[in-house]
């Protein structure tokens, strides 16, 4: 029973941290501010997480599990590489739109003053996203949906940078510029 309560408290802490990150012009999040929002002591936070970096690692783990779980679902349900790529782009942009606080983690904004290993982990995440996009494009090549001379490395890089730009603009606009604005036309350009 205690581990269930502990798991619930950990989830509450991470949820509040993500909520606090939704304020793009907000101050650096301290454990004192986080504890105050949760109406607990800082010591209570440290009963569940050894450090603030470990809290951010919890958010990153949520992002990784969610995004790669969705990538797997897309590749498992679609045979067309172009449809896989289209759905993957939409998924990545929609994930950010629905998880504003996580978007600040995705773009590294929330990690600027934190332990540098967190940014390294996000860089690895982005490398994995690009590799997943390349796999979608490889599938498209195998099905002759793209010309045999297509450079899938360059195309996957372009798509990833487009997504990063959309996440960035969304966060920097104070959540006003939707990452999915004009998306159908833009995906058409990237995948044709």
């Amino acid at each position: 029973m205690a581990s269930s309560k502990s798991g619930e408290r950990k989830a509450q802490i991470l949820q509040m941290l993500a909520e606090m990150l939704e304020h793009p012009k907000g101050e650096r999040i301290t454990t004192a501010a986080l504890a105050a929002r949760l109406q607990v002591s800082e010591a209570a936070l440290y009963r569940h997480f050894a450090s603030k970096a470990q809290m951010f690692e919890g958010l990153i783990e949520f992002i990784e599990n969610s995004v790669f779980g969705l990538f797997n679902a897309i590749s498992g349900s679609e045979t067309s590489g172009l449809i896989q790529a289209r759905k993957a782009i939409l998924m990545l942009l929609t994930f950010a739109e629905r998880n504003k606080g996580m978007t600040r983690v995705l773009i590294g904004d929330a990690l600027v003053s934190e332990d540098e290993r967190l940014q390294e982990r996000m860089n690895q995440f982005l490398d994995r996203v690009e590799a997943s996009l390349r796999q979608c494009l490889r599938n498209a090549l195998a099905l002759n949906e793209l010309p045999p001379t297509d450079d899938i490395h360059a195309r996957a890089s372009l798509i990833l940078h487009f997504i990063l730009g959309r996440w960035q603009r969304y966060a920097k606009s104070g959540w006003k510029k939707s990452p999915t604005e004009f998306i159908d036309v833009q995906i058409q350009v990237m995948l044709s």
Side-chain angles (χ1 to χ4, degrees):
M1 189 73 155
S3 67
S4 170
K5 277 200 177 260
S6 175
E8 286 175 31
R9 177 54 87 181
K10 276 180 119 165
Q12 288 173 337
I13 292 168
L14 294 177
Q15 187 174 359
M16 182 57 69
L17 177 57
E19 236 175 78
M20 291 174 76
L21 287 170
E22 288 184 18
H23 304 286
K25 293 177 178 82
E27 308 257 326
R28 181 172 179 246
I29 295 171
T30 63
T31 52
L34 180 58
R37 288 283 295 270
L38 288 162
Q39 299 177 333
V40 299
S41 68
E42 279 186 80
L45 294 179
Y46 290 116
R47 281 199 274 299
H48 301 283
F49 294 97
S51 64
K52 189 165 70 158
Q54 202 176 68
M55 293 176 206
F56 275 105
E57 284 175 339
L59 292 181
I60 293 170
E61 192 173 312
F62 171 81
I63 291 168
E64 290 170 340
N65 291 339
S66 300
V67 166
F68 293 112
L70 292 167
F71 258 119
N72 290 338
I74 290 167
S75 63
S77 66
E78 293 296 338
T79 53
S80 163
L82 287 182
I83 292 175
Q84 288 174 356
R86 177 178 176 39
K87 286 187 171 187
I89 294 165
L90 280 170
M91 174 269 291
L92 290 162
L93 296 175
T94 304
F95 179 84
E97 197 164 33
R98 291 181 181 156
N99 298 283
K100 294 174 185 165
M102 302 295 181
T103 302
R104 290 197 53 224
V105 175
L106 287 166
I107 63 172
D109 207 22
L111 306 176
V112 169
S113 310
E114 305 301 332
D115 189 314
E116 63 185 58
R117 79 173 187 270
L118 296 170
Q119 187 57 59
E120 288 169 15
R121 187 163 172 188
M122 283 314 302
N123 291 342
Q124 290 170 348
F125 166 81
L126 294 173
D127 289 343
R128 285 180 62 200
V129 166
E130 189 170 0
S132 297
L133 291 167
R134 267 195 313 272
Q135 186 56 53
C136 296
L137 297 173
R138 266 191 210 95
N139 295 343
L141 269 178
L143 294 170
N144 297 316
E145 296 172 328
L146 290 171
T149 57
D150 196 73
D151 185 338
I152 61 170
H153 292 277
R155 192 182 293 259
S157 177
L158 170 73
I159 293 169
L160 178 65
H161 286 89
F162 168 80
I163 290 164
L164 284 167
R166 280 311 189 105
W167 289 342
Q168 184 85 11
R169 181 100 191 268
Y170 184 49
K172 298 299 180 185
S173 72
W175 317 121
K176 291 179 182 77
K177 286 287 185 183
S178 167
T180 56
E181 182 180 43
F182 308 120
I183 195 59
D184 290 330
V185 173
Q186 291 169 340
I187 287 177
Q188 183 67 34
V189 169
M190 284 187 289
L191 296 180
S192 61

